[in-house]
Amino acid sequence: MIGRRGTQIGLVAVMAVAGIGFVVGIDDGVPRADIRYAERAPGTAEGGAGVRPATSYLDLRNQRPGANAGFRTSLEDLAAAAEPPDVPEGDLARRRALAQREERRAFNGAPPVIPHEADPVGSDACLSCHESSVRLADESAGGLPHPYYTNCQQCHVAESPLLEPVVLAASSFEGLAAPDGGDRAWEGAPPTIPHSTWMRGNCLSCHGPNGQVGIRTSHPERVNCLQCHAPSAELDQVDIGPQRFLSSAAGTN
C-alpha cells in the first residue's frame, strides 16, 4: 500500500518538474531585442525640449488636442454679437431694410420666401436658426413672429437659384404698397404700427437687437410694445359696412 502511494507521489513530482521545465525552456528560446536607453533627466527630451506630461483619461475628454482644436459646430459660437441699439439708423438704413423686406414678398402682407435652400420635410431645420432671432455674420435670421406651426413651407416658398421665375397665368392683381412708416399724433409721439399685427405678435423678430439696423428698436427691453405703439385701425379692423352689419343683426348671411 505504501509502495503504491509512493509511486503516485513520485509520478506527480516528475510531471510537475517536466511542466516547469517546458515553460522555462520556451521562455528562454524567445529572441529578445537588445535595447539600451540613454540616461536622461526626468521631464526632458533630446535637445532639452520639455515633455508634455501625460493626461489622465478623466481630463482627456475635456480637452480638444490636434489640428481641429478650434473647430466648432454650434450656431451659438457662429452667431455674431448683436450691435448696440444706439447705432445711427438714418433714412438710408431704414429704406435699405424695407427694400429687402419688399423684394422677398409677392405683395405687402404676403409671407416672405425662403432665400436659401431648405429641407422640405418638417420644421426642425428652420427652428435651428429661426426659433429666436440670431445674426450670422452680416445676415439676420429673424425669429418666429407668429405661433409655431409644423410645416413652414405651407406658406413660405423656397427660392431656387437654378430656376427662372415662370408666369403661369396673367393677372392684374396689385398688392398694397409697403408702408414707409407709422403715423404720429404729434411730433415726438410714438408712431403707430404701419402694418397689421395678425401673425406678427413677436415684434422683436424684426425690430429686436438682431434685426436690420434701419428698423431696429432703441428700447428692446420694454415688454409691451402696444402700450405705446397703437395698432392701425385701418389694417387690424375690418369694415363690415352697414348692409352686412344689418344682415348679421337680423341673423342672416
Side-chain angles (χ1 to χ4, degrees):
M1 186 71 179
I2 297 177
R4 185 177 180 182
R5 186 176 182 82
T7 302
Q8 293 177 348
I9 294 175
L11 290 175
V12 171
V14 171
M15 293 176 63
V17 172
I20 294 174
F22 177 76
V23 173
V24 173
I26 291 180
D27 185 65
D28 288 341
V30 176
R32 299 179 181 275
D34 186 12
I35 301 176
R36 299 181 181 180
Y37 298 94
E39 294 292 335
R40 64 186 181 191
T44 60
E46 294 183 7
V51 178
R52 187 175 66 178
T55 305
S56 66
Y57 285 107
L58 182 62
D59 297 333
L60 188 61
R61 64 180 181 179
N62 297 325
Q63 296 183 359
R64 298 176 62 92
N68 294 327
F71 182 75
R72 296 291 186 274
T73 58
S74 173
L75 285 175
E76 296 179 356
D77 297 331
L78 297 176
E83 298 178 14
D86 56 350
V87 173
E89 298 180 5
D91 188 64
L92 180 62
R94 183 173 62 87
R95 293 189 178 277
R96 185 185 298 115
L98 294 178
Q100 184 188 70
R101 178 185 180 278
E102 186 175 0
E103 71 180 7
R104 293 179 179 176
R105 289 166 170 80
F107 53 89
N108 182 42
V113 297
I114 303 175
H116 53 74
E117 295 183 1
D119 184 3
V121 180
S123 59
D124 293 340
C126 303
L127 293 178
S128 62
C129 290
H130 296 284
E131 185 174 10
S132 59
S133 299
V134 295
R135 287 192 68 86
L136 302 176
D138 296 331
E139 296 295 330
S140 174
L144 292 178
H146 53 71
Y148 167 74
Y149 295 101
T150 55
N151 187 2
C152 300
Q153 297 194 41
Q154 180 178 354
C155 299
H156 300 277
V157 180
E159 283 187 328
S160 176
L162 303 179
L163 299 178
E164 294 292 334
V166 177
V167 178
L168 300 179
S171 174
S172 59
F173 172 80
E174 293 185 5
L176 295 175
D180 189 54
D183 298 327
R184 299 177 186 266
W186 63 86
E187 184 178 358
T192 60
I193 301 176
H195 54 73
S196 64
T197 57
W198 182 69
M199 297 288 284
R200 298 175 181 177
N202 181 13
C203 302
L204 294 181
S205 64
C206 293
H207 303 287
N210 290 319
Q212 298 292 335
V213 176
I215 57 175
R216 187 184 303 169
T217 180
S218 60
H219 43 276
E221 70 281 355
R222 300 187 181 181
V223 179
N224 187 3
C225 303
L226 301 181
Q227 181 178 357
C228 299
H229 300 278
S232 170
E234 181 180 357
L235 297 174
D236 274 354
Q237 297 181 12
V238 178
D239 183 10
I240 62 176
Q243 184 63 38
R244 185 172 178 182
F245 175 78
L246 294 175
S247 299
S248 300
T252 60
N253 293 328

